[in-house]
Amino acid sequence: MKKNIIAMNASIMIGLGSILAAPSVYAESISDLEKQKESIQEKRSGVESNISDTEKKIDSLQDKQMTAEDQIAAIEAKIAESAKKIDAKNAEITQTKKEIEALKEEIKVLKERIAKRNEVLKERALSFQETGGDVNYLEVLFGSSSFGDLVDRVGAVATIAEADRDILKQHELDKKDLEEKQKAVETKLASLEVAKAEILEIQKQQKQQKQEKDALVKKLKQQTEKHEHEKMGLEEEKANLAAQEKAIKSAISLEHQRLAELEAARKKAAAEAKKRAEQEAAQAAAQAASQASESKKQSTSSGYSAKSNSSSAPSTSQPSSNVSSAPAVSSGTFTRPSAGYVSSTMGERWNKQHAGIDIAASGTVPIVAAADGVVSRSYFSSSYGNVIFVTHSIGGQQWTTVYAHLSSRQASEGAVVAKGQQIGIMGNTGHSYGQHLHFELHKGAWNYSKSNAVNPLNYIPN
């Protein structure tokens, strides 16, 4: 554990003088970490507020969607009702057309009857024209063979005259009836066609309204999905901020622990120095007394041999895990997180912002921490796949590194990792096409919009 604690700080002091000066340095580091923790808490509060606002937007959109769907259902009911009315009008029109066909037969009969009457009338007219239009009653009288025959002849003349008047009268009635029937049927058919056209127009408007409502519902669904996606991102950001806050608290605790250990080491070193000084003073006094005693004797030579005291401090070196394909740890602030070639750089890609770089390689490729830090998150994401977030505090500045699409994770949340320490294996999990490491570097906390992302190629060796 102490080795990990030592690995977390790049400014480990070596020697007594550095140890004595360490407390002020660590106090400043703790102050920076406290500020970072407060900053994360403020961001987390802001994200929670954004989540609440997004939920309200989603609720509002869903209410509008339900209202629009209710309106669509009402419009569909009206369209169905209009369809029934149209069917009824079509049935009436069909019936009326049948009546028209039947009327045509009647008209045909009437026309034939009228044609026959016209022939009779023509004959009458021709007879009147030949006789001057008057009946010669003397011929009827003197042509009679008897009185009975005379009566019959006079009756026949009267009957013929009456028949002519009946023919003309019926002729006029039939013509009038024909005209009225034609007019009535034509009016009825025209009225039905107008009524049908009106219903069709209403149905057309209803269908147009339905199309508009359908388009509105589709738009509301798209907006809802957008806000739900945004909410998911904000919730992930919230979880990351909570994890980073936990990591910062862990770092603060480690710094306090380190400070206590260094203070204990300083006091121990001071006590040992005082003890050595006292021992050296006593030894010097003893040597002086011995020299004074020996000076009285004749001696050919005298000498003093001082034995050197040496103390060996416990080794704090960390055994390295020599992985053949792991990149060499560089001397800069950040080291390269994996071997391989950069297959995709930061920038616009597939109409979206690619917030990091992709490093591709085949085989079993170790992934290492780019700098000392604390694992803030280690989990499986639908987009990142197996992903690890590491929070770093370097020179008072918070950094976040992201290692995505891993085949396996070898560092859990809260773990303290050293620069170059293996934390996973390169993979192809989540929203990924082919084995590679998606690596992001954020100057500050990770957020959903990735506004703190910087180009890793400006910070790690190529």
Side-chain angles (χ1 to χ4, degrees):
M1 181 65 179
K2 290 182 179 179
K3 293 177 182 179
N4 285 335
I5 295 173
I6 292 170
M8 275 292 295
N9 198 309
S11 59
I12 295 175
M13 305 303 177
I14 301 174
L16 181 59
S18 297
I19 292 175
L20 294 174
S24 62
V25 175
Y26 286 116
E28 183 180 351
S29 176
I30 290 173
S31 176
D32 290 338
L33 289 171
E34 289 286 358
K35 289 179 181 177
Q36 291 175 20
K37 183 182 75 172
E38 292 174 1
S39 175
I40 288 173
Q41 288 173 340
E42 289 178 3
K43 290 176 182 177
R44 188 177 172 186
S45 177
V47 170
E48 287 174 348
S49 177
N50 289 338
I51 289 174
S52 178
D53 291 342
T54 303
E55 286 175 343
K56 289 177 182 177
K57 289 178 182 178
I58 291 172
D59 290 341
S60 175
L61 288 169
Q62 288 177 339
D63 288 342
K64 290 179 181 178
Q65 186 176 324
M66 288 178 65
T67 300
E69 287 173 348
D70 289 342
Q71 291 173 344
I72 288 172
I75 292 171
E76 287 176 342
K78 290 181 180 178
I79 291 173
E81 185 180 350
S82 297
K84 288 181 180 179
K85 290 181 179 179
I86 290 170
D87 290 342
K89 291 299 177 186
N90 284 331
E92 288 186 55
I93 289 170
T94 300
Q95 183 60 34
T96 303
K97 286 181 177 178
K98 287 181 180 179
E99 292 176 5
I100 290 173
E101 291 299 321
L103 184 60
K104 285 181 179 178
E105 292 298 322
E106 292 181 19
I107 290 170
K108 182 179 178 182
V109 172
L110 285 173
K111 284 183 176 179
E112 290 175 355
R113 195 182 303 163
I114 289 169
K116 289 179 180 179
R117 290 184 189 131
N118 282 335
E119 289 299 323
V120 172
L121 291 174
K122 283 180 182 178
E123 290 177 2
R124 294 283 190 272
L126 181 61
S127 175
F128 288 160
Q129 192 175 30
E130 291 174 353
T131 59
D134 294 324
V135 179
N136 192 334
Y137 289 100
L138 290 176
E139 290 180 1
V140 173
L141 179 61
F142 291 110
S144 300
S145 59
S146 63
F147 181 76
D149 184 34
L150 175 63
V151 172
D152 289 337
R153 287 185 173 224
V154 171
V157 170
T159 300
I160 291 170
E162 184 68 26
D164 288 343
R165 285 194 296 271
D166 289 342
I167 289 173
L168 290 171
K169 183 178 179 182
Q170 189 61 46
H171 189 66
E172 292 297 325
L173 288 173
D174 286 345
K175 286 180 64 179
K176 184 178 180 182
D177 184 54
L178 177 60
E179 291 172 356
E180 287 178 353
K181 283 185 177 181
Q182 283 182 323
K183 185 176 180 181
V185 173
E186 289 171 356
T187 301
K188 182 179 179 181
L189 182 60
S191 175
L192 288 171
E193 293 290 354
V194 169
K196 179 183 174 182
E198 289 176 352
I199 297 172
L200 285 171
E201 181 61 29
I202 291 171
Q203 190 183 57
K204 180 181 176 182
Q205 293 174 1
Q206 290 168 344
K207 288 181 178 180
Q208 180 65 31
Q209 290 174 357
K210 184 179 180 298
Q211 288 177 353
E212 292 172 358
K213 293 297 179 182
D214 286 338
L216 175 61
V217 168
K218 183 179 179 181
K219 182 179 178 181
L220 291 170
K221 284 182 178 179
Q222 290 174 342
Q223 291 177 344
T224 301
E225 289 174 0
K226 177 185 174 183
H227 287 303
E228 284 176 345
H229 184 69
E230 181 180 350
K231 180 187 173 184
M232 288 175 62
L234 289 169
E235 286 175 343
E236 187 172 4
E237 182 177 349
K238 177 185 174 182
N240 276 307
L241 287 170
Q244 288 180 5
E245 182 181 351
K246 184 179 178 180
I248 292 293
K249 287 179 180 179
S250 175
I252 291 172
S253 176
L254 292 174
E255 291 292 345
H256 280 297
Q257 182 180 346
R258 192 202 301 272
L259 178 59
E261 290 176 353
L262 287 175
E263 180 63 16
R266 185 187 67 80
K267 289 180 179 180
K268 182 179 178 181
E272 289 177 352
K274 182 180 179 181
K275 184 178 180 180
R276 284 198 298 271
E278 290 174 350
Q279 288 176 348
E280 289 173 358
Q283 189 177 21
Q287 288 176 351
S290 176
Q291 287 175 356
S293 174
E294 289 293 330
S295 63
K296 295 178 181 181
K297 299 178 181 180
Q298 187 74 26
S299 62
T300 58
S301 64
S302 63
Y304 170 73
S305 176
K307 295 181 179 180
S308 61
N309 294 325
S310 62
S311 61
S312 59
S315 174
T316 59
S317 63
Q318 183 175 358
S320 59
S321 56
N322 293 321
V323 181
S324 59
S325 57
V329 179
S330 64
S331 59
T333 304
F334 296 97
T335 193
R336 190 180 178 89
S338 78
Y341 67 96
V342 177
S343 59
S344 182
T345 57
M346 183 175 179
E348 188 77 16
R349 188 179 74 171
W350 303 332
N351 296 322
K352 291 179 66 178
Q353 180 66 17
H354 188 231
I357 62 171
D358 292 343
I359 302 175
S362 59
T364 302
V365 185
I367 305 301
V368 302
D372 300 337
V374 177
V375 177
S376 55
R377 293 206 76 188
S378 177
Y379 71 113
F380 185 85
S381 162
S382 59
S383 56
Y384 280 138
N386 280 314
V387 62
I388 293 175
F389 288 71
V390 180
T391 299
H392 315 271
S393 180
I394 304 172
Q397 172 64 50
Q398 179 190 352
W399 297 80
T400 305
T401 50
V402 180
Y403 312 80
H405 308 314
L406 307 180
S407 64
S408 63
R409 292 174 277 119
Q410 299 172 356
S412 56
E413 293 183 9
V416 179
V417 294
K419 182 180 180 182
Q421 177 181 334
Q422 184 172 334
I423 59 175
I425 299 292
M426 185 184 291
N428 186 28
T429 58
H431 191 200
S432 169
Y433 302 98
Q435 178 172 295
H436 71 284
L437 167 70
H438 175 73
F439 177 69
E440 295 178 11
L441 178 61
H442 300 262
K443 193 172 184 179
W446 181 95
N447 56 49
Y448 173 66
S449 62
K450 301 184 180 181
S451 58
N452 292 332
V454 295
N455 192 347
L457 295 178
N458 295 334
Y459 296 87
I460 65 171
N462 294 328

